[in-house]
Amino acid sequence: MDNVTEKLLECFGHRKFKSELQERAIRAIARGVHDVFVSMPTGSGKSLCFQLPAMLQDNKVAIVFSPLLALIKDQIDHLTKLKIQAESINSKMTSKDRERVINDLRSLKPDTRFLYVTPEQAATGTFKSLLEHLVKYKKVSYIVVDEAHCVSEWGHDFRPDYLKLGDLRESYKSIPWVALTATASAEVAKDILSNLKLLQPVAQYKTPSFRKNLYYDVVYQNCIEDEVGDLCEFLKKSLKEDDNVKPRDKNAVIVYCRTREQTEDLAHMLNKRGLKSLAYHGGLKSSERILVQERWSSGDCPCVCATVSFGMGVDKATVRAVAHWGLAQNVAAYYQESGRAGRDGKPAFCRIYYCRNERNAVDFLLKTEIARARTPEQKQRCKNAYKSFEIMVRYCEEVKCRHKTFAEYFGEETPRCAGRCDACSDERAVRRALEQHQRRAMS
Ligand code: ADP
Ligand code: MG
Ligand code: ZN
């Protein structure tokens, strides 16, 4: 046992690392030679990647930038429970409290191990002079940027104040920086490295996108006689299992739709065809939404037809199929939504029931948004959204390994698909279907 694994148990109570990647990232950050970029999905334990290395350096404090006071509070509560001193400086505190924190940090040997601040706070004079003091007296272990995708206009939660953090990176070259995010796209990663001005070469630790238990394919709605019937068969086949499973471990499926009406219509038609289904969308009362989610999670109803609002906090491991009715908004969203399938590691199916009309509907909506955008930044973001959508369309209208498209999008090497998508398992059939689709869409 070395001091890294020792601290893992002693400070955080874990006997093992959550993954090999987590361990490698932690060891790289602990070495402190390079700036480190970590991209791992939500829940994979990114916080520990900087928290553990910070605990290896006595009498030093890690500065952590985080976008929201609510997130900051969660992290501080978590560390406090572990008896690790974590503080924040923010506008919601009493001046007395703020003074207490600052006095400790300005003392010879601070007790504070983590100081959490929002990027807005980082721009204040109070913080800047404090940071200068801490750096001058070598009291900073790391500077950490959590939720680092906020620095990118390609991300969902762009925050202009995050951009200013790049100037700090330039001012304090002696301290290693760590940037973490769950957003994995290549564009966002590129923005994080360049906008935060991380020092090259940056060590990068990314979860590969390839999940070999997921089979991806595309079906063209205009090439089949009975679309709903085909969907129903696909779902029923995916759901098949032994009878003696506990209700909560029963197989389940999700059908994602663009509109509320579609969720209701499809649920209705699937019920008529003997597949017990419920609709889920933002128009339902929150009590109804909770009920749908509970009936689905508990194994009472195997199928949910939902808008993309379904999924936050859904952690059912036995989702055997995720179907998209029409298409998804973009490749990142599609990867995330379809990725709810097969969390147990067993085979699962992800299928798009592609439809030109749906494509045109989304196309129109996104173009309207571009036209309506007021500021240049808004316009840029809308244009980015449109470009992402175009990649999604190409995914559907191209004969190419589906896993490869994801890998390219996330800036990774081509994975070994070995027949885990339609294009790799039967390229000619996919080509034929696509040609038929295009002929019919023209006429
Ligand atoms: P992320 O920021 O990647 O979404 P968190 O850092 O919030 O994830 O961690 C998610 C959960 O995983 C937390 O409850 C955390 O305590 C737990 N966790 C992290 N590392 C380990 C580990 N090595 N062993 C067990 N649990 C861990
Ligand atoms: Mg996190
Ligand atoms: Zn493939």
Side-chain angles (χ1 to χ4, degrees):
M1 212 195 238
D2 62 354
N3 57 352
V4 173
T5 36
E6 234 169 66
K7 276 279 186 269
L8 179 67
L9 185 60
E10 179 194 313
C11 296
F12 298 94
H14 302 312
R15 296 196 170 273
K16 286 192 311 213
F17 292 98
K18 207 156 179 161
S19 62
E20 197 205 311
L21 195 66
Q22 187 192 44
E23 174 168 7
R24 286 199 285 128
I26 286 173
R27 290 187 183 280
I29 294 167
R31 255 175 261 130
V33 181
H34 298 295
D35 284 358
V36 175
F37 171 60
V38 178
S39 157
M40 304 196 299
T42 304
S44 44
K46 287 188 289 299
S47 308
L48 195 75
C49 293
F50 63 83
Q51 287 170 348
L52 198 166
M55 292 309 287
L56 292 167
Q57 301 201 30
D58 293 330
N59 301 116
K60 286 195 182 188
V61 56
I63 315 280
V64 187
F65 296 113
S66 175
L68 299 169
L69 288 179
L71 288 176
I72 289 179
K73 186 177 179 306
D74 285 350
Q75 300 249 329
I76 292 181
D77 288 350
H78 180 71
L79 289 167
T80 307
K81 268 192 209 132
L82 295 169
K83 301 202 162 56
I84 297 172
Q85 190 157 342
E87 304 284 357
S88 171
I89 302 180
N90 62 64
S91 52
K92 293 265 163 67
M93 298 165 82
T94 62
S95 54
K96 204 174 144 203
D97 226 12
R98 198 160 36 226
E99 237 166 67
R100 175 184 61 77
V101 174
I102 293 175
N103 285 342
D104 174 61
L105 289 168
R106 285 189 179 267
S107 69
L108 210 55
K109 287 185 172 176
D111 292 323
T112 305
R113 307 306 303 269
F114 295 92
L115 177 67
Y116 281 85
V117 281
T118 61
E120 289 77 18
Q121 184 65 38
T124 64
T126 316
F127 178 80
K128 282 187 174 157
S129 76
L130 176 64
L131 183 61
E132 202 167 295
H133 165 90
L134 290 170
V135 173
K136 186 172 165 197
Y137 293 99
K138 299 196 165 38
K139 290 194 271 192
V140 181
S141 54
Y142 296 96
I143 296 184
V144 179
V145 184
D146 204 3
E147 314 292 343
H149 55 275
C150 292
V151 80
S152 169
E153 298 214 22
W154 284 96
H156 302 289
D157 321 293
F158 175 60
R159 294 277 293 269
D161 280 303
Y162 257 68
L163 288 172
K164 296 184 193 143
L165 299 177
D167 300 336
L168 285 184
R169 177 70 207 97
E170 287 196 310
S171 309
Y172 301 114
K173 290 220 161 82
S174 61
I175 297 159
W177 276 48
V178 180
L180 312 101
T181 181
T183 308
S185 88
E187 281 112 349
V188 173
K190 209 171 117 224
D191 277 0
I192 290 172
L193 301 199
S194 71
N195 292 350
L196 288 179
K197 302 181 181 147
L198 298 185
L199 298 186
Q200 292 291 350
V202 177
Q204 303 195 29
Y205 294 86
K206 281 196 210 174
T207 308
S209 64
F210 182 48
R211 290 177 55 201
K212 61 177 190 283
N213 62 320
L214 302 187
Y215 183 90
Y216 279 88
D217 65 4
V218 176
V219 167
Y220 301 103
Q221 287 197 26
N222 64 349
C223 296
I224 41 182
E225 289 297 315
D226 173 14
E227 305 96 87
V228 180
D230 194 278
L231 172 68
C232 192
E233 282 317 302
F234 167 64
L235 299 174
K236 280 182 179 169
K237 223 167 99 187
S238 310
L239 281 168
K240 265 211 186 100
E241 68 184 324
D242 303 338
D243 290 332
N244 49 8
V245 227
K246 280 185 265 156
R248 284 220 166 247
D249 299 334
K250 272 193 175 162
N251 286 339
V253 293
I254 307 172
V255 182
Y256 279 112
C257 310
R258 186 172 56 82
T259 68
R260 294 173 184 184
E261 293 72 41
Q262 288 170 340
T263 66
E264 307 257 352
D265 291 349
L266 270 182
H268 178 71
M269 290 187 283
L270 291 172
N271 274 313
K272 278 216 300 216
R273 289 167 196 259
L275 177 61
K276 212 164 155 191
S277 308
L278 288 165
Y280 181 103
H281 53 73
L284 301 177
K285 279 189 277 181
S286 79
S287 59
E288 292 172 315
R289 284 206 300 270
I290 292 168
L291 191 68
V292 172
Q293 192 164 332
E294 178 52 26
R295 284 188 60 193
W296 179 78
S297 302
S298 67
D300 174 37
C301 176
C303 175
V304 167
C305 299
T307 54
V308 293
S309 60
F310 183 74
M312 294 283 265
V314 167
D315 56 359
K316 201 171 171 64
T318 55
V319 176
R320 292 274 72 84
V322 173
H324 277 70
W325 196 248
L327 76 172
Q329 274 261 349
N330 57 61
V331 170
Y334 183 54
Y335 180 77
Q336 191 184 29
E337 287 150 20
S338 61
R340 299 202 169 105
R343 288 266 164 83
D344 56 4
K346 293 180 186 159
F349 300 88
C350 307
R351 175 175 287 181
I352 293 180
Y353 278 88
Y354 185 64
C355 163
R356 241 334 139 83
N357 291 341
E358 277 300 308
R359 183 200 84 169
N360 294 343
V362 179
D363 194 274
F364 177 78
L365 288 175
L366 291 175
K367 280 188 177 143
T368 313
E369 275 177 29
I370 295 176
R372 282 205 193 129
R374 282 158 189 253
T375 65
E377 292 82 35
Q378 270 177 0
K379 204 157 220 98
Q380 189 55 49
R381 241 166 297 147
C382 293
K383 282 186 182 166
N384 287 349
Y386 190 79
K387 279 189 202 151
S388 307
F389 167 68
E390 285 180 313
I391 304 176
M392 186 72 245
V393 172
R394 230 175 298 137
Y395 174 100
C396 299
E397 300 210 14
E398 199 170 52
V399 187
K400 177 172 152 186
C401 174
R402 314 289 176 191
H403 291 286
K404 185 171 183 206
T405 302
F406 291 134
E408 281 173 0
Y409 184 76
F410 295 124
E412 299 162 10
E413 283 169 27
T414 304
R416 280 179 199 231
C417 175
R420 290 178 182 101
C421 82
D422 53 352
C424 292
S425 69
D426 193 348
E427 189 188 331
R428 281 174 61 198
V430 177
R431 194 172 299 284
R432 240 180 290 127
L434 177 61
E435 280 163 9
Q436 189 184 27
H437 160 77
Q438 285 168 338
R439 266 198 314 277
R440 292 191 179 183
M442 298 287 237
S443 59

